[in-house]
Amino acid sequence: MAKLIGGLGTSHVPSIGAAIDKGLRDTPDWKPFFDGYIPGQDWVKEHKPDVAVVIFNDHGNSFFLDKVPTFAVGCAEEYRPVDEGWGPRAIPSFKGAVDFSWHFIDTLIENRFDPMICQEIEVDHGIQVPMELFWGRPAEWPVQVVPIFVNVIQYPIPLPSRCYEMGRVLRQAIESYPTDERFVVLGTGGLSHQLQGARAGFVNPEADRAFLNDIATDPDKLAGMSREQYVEMFGSEGAELMMWLVMRGAMDRDVVVRHKHYFVPASMTGAGMIVMENAATASPAVAA
């Protein structure tokens, strides 16, 4: 059967992609941020996953406020970069893990989730930036992807606990999939930021750092928080962090943190990264 080899969490701030496009990676403002991802890139190179399941939100590009599914799953052959206002970015299209997507969708239905099914959809920085942060800018992506879209923009947004439950179903789908493929799950978004309203410009580094600890050691606490608590603690857009719970729900209760990184501000956002493995299958040297 297929195997889950790790869970990755990362911000997907659009200015990160702009910095890459403009060759700003090694400038004083950006170098500390990008250097913090080198261990995560090394982990990906070492473990060579075959499929990346990426949980993110669309930002009004393929869905708009008049039609926003709570959860949607892509099952397309490919996912092209969407035009976010300045033309599509010069990155390769993402190859879809079509058969697994259908298997996952069926497993969701069996477990009382009813996602929108997307057989054709373009994708924005919500998936582009995380893929670049861990895989760089290859001529062709070395993994197939399964995009999971979560509505964290238009209220009512899903409960954090519901995202956590979806992660458990994802794990069930991976472990019942009859191949020897290696899966990695990426939870994306955040960290703290608010782009509008009276708290525009809000960041909360203390809460961000606590989140990076709790996502590994106390995910039940994060899953038990209300939507309002996420907005209060992390900002209206920082509520994206509940999408990390899909990733975390797919993993064992006990995990080993391989790498962790925090940087503030990335544009107007607290930005972070984590790499985790299940403790039961981590190498003894790491688990010690």
Side-chain angles (χ1 to χ4, degrees):
M1 294 297 179
K3 180 181 179 181
L4 175 64
I5 62 170
L8 314 178
T10 182
S11 302
H12 62 220
V13 184
S15 59
I16 297 169
I20 296 172
D21 293 344
K22 295 176 181 179
L24 302 178
R25 188 250 182 259
D26 290 321
T27 60
D29 286 342
W30 282 106
K31 182 175 171 56
F33 169 79
F34 285 108
D35 282 355
Y37 275 81
I38 292 173
Q41 295 164 0
D42 291 341
W43 184 92
V44 166
K45 290 175 185 175
E46 177 185 352
H47 289 80
K48 296 180 174 60
D50 302 299
V51 179
V53 180
V54 187
I55 303 99
F56 65 104
N57 61 295
D58 177 78
H59 299 79
N61 294 296
S62 291
F63 300 119
F64 199 62
L65 301 184
D66 57 339
K67 298 179 183 67
V68 184
T70 301
F71 297 109
V73 179
C75 55
E77 293 282 349
E78 73 167 0
Y79 304 93
R80 295 187 302 275
V82 71
D83 182 351
E84 298 192 53
W86 299 272
R89 296 178 63 227
I91 62 174
S93 295
F94 301 94
K95 296 173 292 184
V98 180
D99 290 343
F100 177 79
S101 287
W102 283 112
H103 172 71
F104 175 47
I105 290 165
D106 189 61
T107 307
L108 284 171
I109 299 297
E110 289 283 350
N111 285 273
R112 298 179 175 84
F113 279 88
D114 302 295
M116 172 182 275
I117 300 169
C118 301
Q119 298 187 66
E120 182 177 331
I121 193 167
E122 295 178 323
V123 292
D124 69 8
H125 66 268
I127 187 172
Q128 294 174 26
V129 167
M131 293 294 291
E132 289 177 285
L133 284 172
F134 286 105
W135 279 273
R137 184 69 70 83
E140 182 175 313
W141 300 107
V143 293
Q144 295 180 322
V145 302
V146 178
I148 301 175
F149 302 82
V150 181
N151 170 33
V152 291
I153 292 180
Q154 176 77 342
Y155 274 73
I157 62 178
L159 296 174
S161 59
R162 190 67 169 155
C163 294
Y164 199 40
E165 291 167 7
M166 174 175 270
R168 294 192 179 103
V169 178
L170 173 58
R171 177 69 174 273
Q172 178 182 336
I174 291 171
E175 294 190 333
S176 62
Y177 191 57
T179 73
D180 60 358
E181 290 172 303
R182 296 159 60 82
F183 281 70
V184 65
V185 181
L186 282 72
T188 81
L191 281 56
S192 65
H193 63 298
Q194 180 152 329
L195 306 180
Q196 39 69 40
R199 292 203 303 169
F202 169 83
V203 292
N204 191 344
E206 182 180 355
D208 288 342
R209 291 187 175 96
F211 179 89
L212 287 171
N213 288 328
D214 290 341
I215 196 68
T217 62
D218 198 2
D220 293 333
K221 169 187 170 183
L222 298 175
M225 290 170 55
S226 69
R227 297 170 293 180
E228 292 79 8
Q229 286 175 309
Y230 270 84
V231 172
E232 179 180 2
M233 189 173 297
F234 301 108
S236 53
E237 283 72 33
E240 292 173 344
L241 279 170
M242 65 179 64
M243 295 188 292
W244 290 43
L245 289 169
V246 182
M247 173 272 291
R248 189 61 180 88
M251 302 195 69
D252 290 351
R253 179 60 183 81
D254 295 324
V255 297
V256 172
V257 176
R258 286 287 204 122
H259 307 290
K260 188 164 57 175
H261 171 52
Y262 182 67
F263 178 87
V264 64
S267 184
M268 297 170 62
T269 305
M273 177 270 278
I274 197 166
V275 177
M276 296 180 288
E277 297 178 18
N278 289 324
T281 53
S283 67
V286 174

